[in-house]
Amino acid sequence: MEWDSTTHLLAAAVDHLAVANWMTATINSGEDADPLDYPEAVPRPAPASDPLPSGPVQNEQAPASALPTLQELHSFFS
């Protein structure tokens, strides 16, 4: 499996949902109930040694035909 930023974001979302579920269950449990274990984080791989490119970042621009016209922008925002 290839680990990319999407996979890390998904793992972070799963971790946050697990903590939210733990908080809800803890709040709604009885006073005499045993405390619930805090959820463990989803394991993530170690980052690559050099994840960033060494040169300047190239911004990819959309072709002019894909951009909205001024009239389309005006009608959208009005």
Side-chain angles (χ1 to χ4, degrees), residues 15-23 26 35-42:
D15 290 343
H16 287 287
L17 288 172
V19 170
N21 287 338
W22 172 80
M23 291 170 120
T26 301
L36 300 172
D37 294 333
Y38 191 81
E40 294 183 22
V42 173

Side-chain angles (χ1 to χ4, degrees), residues 41-72:
V42 173
R44 294 166 181 80
S49 60
D50 188 18
L52 299 176
S54 58
V57 176
Q58 299 291 331
N59 289 334
E60 295 182 20
Q61 296 205 356
S65 61
L67 298 175
T69 64
L70 290 176
Q71 292 171 340
E72 291 172 333

Side-chain angles (χ1 to χ4, degrees), residues 6 31 47 53 72:
T6 304
E31 288 183 23
E72 291 172 333

